Amino acid sequence: MLRSSCLICASSVEPFISFGKMPIANGFLTAAQLADEYFYELDVVFCPTCGMVQLGHLVEPEKMFHENYAFFSSTSTRMAKHFEQFADSVAAVLSPRSDPLVVEIGSNDGIMLRHFAERGTRHLGVEPSKNVAEIASSRGVRTISRFFDEDLAREILEQHGPADAVLGANVMCHIANIHSVVAGVKRLLKPEGVLVFEDPYLGDIVELTSYDQIYDEHVFYFSVRSLSALFAMHDLEIVDVQRQPVHGGSMRYVVGHEGARVASARVVRQTAKEAELGLGEARTFVDLRERIERSRGMLRQALDSLRAGGNRVVGYGATSKSTTVINYCGITAEHLEFISDTTPIKQGKRSPGAHIPVRPYAEFQRQYPDYALLFAWNHSQEILAKEGDFMRQGGRFLVYVPEVHLVDSDQA
Ligand code: SAH
Ligand code: TMP
Ligand code: ZN
């Protein structure tokens, strides 16, 4: 049943879009698994009281995060660089302190923490998906394979003492029992300690109509306003916010104990911008739904006519985000010959829901298609830079964010 109350403040929520039945976004399937695929209702609700946008139905975390988790952070070189810089900025603040402790929630394959390990800084990664946690451990990143919550925070505190910094990237928005996580962070942080985390930003989703950010793992779509409400309930406060040009538009938040730090003027400015954008008003999300529906129509039309014209079209990047686009727009193996992806665990499998084959990148290079549907649009800079040959030979990217358009060698 669609949840009627807000996960943050328990007020009544307003549903604004339903995508229908969806499979697990990162649930790539072997031939044997095709028959009993799991589906849930993907719908999104808005809380007019605290402003939090959130899923209306939740998928159990164990169905998404396990020993076959398909998202390996280190597959993107750009993200590797991004997390090196993230780590450097935190390390610079911690350097005068004696023997600081850094804890990362959702540390995946160690993409960020390895930079603390290399410096000899005390660190601990918390990563429930065993396969990626093991990669991190094998790289010398100290990792425990558990779900972070208040109980685990207590255990960490007993074993390692309080933390100078708790970090998280693309994970806080994944956790439905966020009150337990925030209570745990509150408990774990030293008086001068900070929580620094980043997630896709609601303002960008609204501005770019990037509805493919909406899928099972993304329980919350954060704004400064809605997070301020959450942290205030735990005597924590946001002291800084910084836009990040990754994952299609993210926001990094720095959070401290209430009153421990002077908040940057950026926090007030961004909250005011959100009010201007209408992020606290229900009609903004009704508008968003209309734009999403239009985008679906245009993408389907583009793909149907490419198919009618006998073009070879493949998907570029079997991203988690693509699961929403493919299944919501009714894209099938009739439209896409295959989806090219560089992640070994996805190759040779079928995409969730539509069961389009996922093939290694070498297949894309072996015989360029006429068109590539750019599912990994959030990495477009990196991808357009390396696909000069494809475009020079007449290949075109079909992109759907912020609207449906083609990119050829002149525009790249
Ligand atoms: N931080 C990495 C990984 C993001 S994917 C990056 O930005 O690239 C989200 C990760 O969070 C997954 O590896 C998942 O297993 C992990 N995760 C999900 N729920 C969690 C929880 N309750 N505690 C800690 N990690 C969690
Ligand atoms: P993400 O958008 O969730 O980061 O996932 C990116 C996916 O796209 C991941 O499966 C790897 C794949 N990918 C490619 O196949 N080629 C590329 O050049 C890039 C950057 C990503
Ligand atoms: Zn609320």
Side-chain angles (χ1 to χ4, degrees), residues 72-84 87 104 106-115 136 139 141 169:
F72 290 67
S73 299
S74 298
T75 44
S76 163
T77 47
R78 168 137 179 272
M79 291 311 294
K81 188 83 205 151
H82 173 77
F83 286 121
E84 182 179 357
E104 186 183 352
S107 44
N108 201 277
D109 58 12
I111 190 168
M112 173 139 68
L113 277 187
R114 53 183 280 243
H115 300 289
R139 288 179 177 160
V141 174

Side-chain angles (χ1 to χ4, degrees), residues 19-336:
F19 293 93
K21 287 252 180 284
M22 283 285 154
I24 300 287
N26 268 310
F28 295 88
L29 305 148
T30 60
Q33 292 167 328
L34 294 179
D36 59 348
E37 191 172 10
Y38 175 83
F39 288 87
Y40 69 100
E41 286 289 334
L42 178 61
D43 31 38
V44 195
V45 304
F46 165 69
C47 174
T49 306
C50 73
M52 189 64 85
V53 173
Q54 53 202 283
L55 294 187
H57 285 94
L58 301 174
V59 174
E60 276 169 79
E62 291 77 8
K63 282 204 160 62
M64 303 182 280
F65 310 117
H66 42 59
E67 67 286 357
N68 286 313
Y69 188 54
F71 180 74
F72 290 67
S73 299
S74 298
T75 44
S76 163
T77 47
R78 168 137 179 272
M79 291 311 294
K81 188 83 205 151
H82 173 77
F83 286 121
E84 182 179 357
Q85 288 164 352
F86 190 152
D88 285 351
S89 70
V90 174
V93 174
L94 300 187
S95 67
R97 305 210 190 151
S98 110
D99 198 23
L101 172 67
V102 177
V103 174
E104 186 183 352
I105 305 175
S107 44
N108 201 277
D109 58 12
I111 190 168
M112 173 139 68
L113 277 187
R114 53 183 280 243
H115 300 289
F116 293 96
E118 281 160 13
R119 285 181 171 86
T121 304
R122 268 197 315 138
H123 64 276
L124 182 65
V126 180
E127 175 46 67
S129 298
K130 280 219 167 55
N131 56 342
V132 291
E134 275 164 17
I135 294 178
S137 299
S138 73
R139 288 179 177 160
V141 174
R142 188 167 184 164
T143 307
I144 44 174
S145 196
R146 301 261 299 270
F147 286 93
F148 186 89
D149 61 9
E150 192 174 7
D151 288 340
L152 183 60
R154 250 191 231 113
E155 287 179 39
I156 295 173
L157 187 62
E158 267 167 33
Q159 285 175 25
H160 302 269
D164 293 78
V166 175
L167 310 179
N170 310 300
V171 62
M172 295 292 273
C173 74
H174 290 53
I175 311 177
N177 62 338
I178 190 132
H179 279 298
S180 173
V181 170
V182 175
V185 170
K186 169 81 185 173
R187 199 178 271 281
L188 193 53
L189 281 180
K190 286 184 182 171
E192 69 281 20
V194 284
L195 164 67
V196 189
F197 73 102
E198 62 187 43
D199 280 293
Y201 180 54
L202 179 65
D204 290 304
I205 296 174
V206 168
E207 286 198 296
L208 300 173
T209 319
S210 45
Y211 68 90
D212 57 350
Q213 298 281 10
I214 300 170
Y215 56 89
D216 52 355
E217 293 183 22
H218 290 170
V219 175
F220 297 109
Y221 304 86
F222 293 146
S223 62
V224 179
R225 175 188 165 211
S226 61
L227 282 175
S228 299
L230 167 66
F231 289 121
M233 294 167 88
H234 295 270
D235 299 322
L236 291 164
E237 70 181 321
I238 300 177
V239 294
D240 201 4
V241 293
Q242 299 151 7
R243 304 295 306 266
Q244 302 294 328
V246 295
H247 285 311
S250 290
M251 187 70 81
R252 185 176 298 168
Y253 307 88
V254 182
V255 178
H257 290 286
E258 204 161 57
R261 284 161 186 268
V262 180
S264 147
R266 277 193 288 267
V267 181
V268 175
R269 243 184 280 142
Q270 195 62 37
T271 311
K273 260 194 211 159
E274 291 181 352
E276 265 170 49
L277 247 180
L279 295 192
E281 292 160 47
R283 70 173 166 77
T284 301
F285 300 101
V286 174
D287 280 1
L288 177 62
R289 180 186 64 221
E290 287 169 6
R291 277 181 281 123
I292 292 172
E293 286 168 356
R294 260 200 309 278
S295 174
R296 166 171 68 174
M298 293 186 63
L299 184 58
R300 254 313 279 277
Q301 202 177 22
L303 287 168
D304 285 345
S305 75
L306 289 180
R307 178 175 139 203
N311 293 282
R312 274 190 74 224
V313 187
V314 307
Y316 196 108
T319 60
S320 26
K321 293 190 292 296
S322 71
T323 295
T324 298
V325 177
I326 289 171
N327 293 287
Y328 173 65
C329 299
I331 299 171
T332 67
E334 301 274 297
H335 297 102
L336 301 182

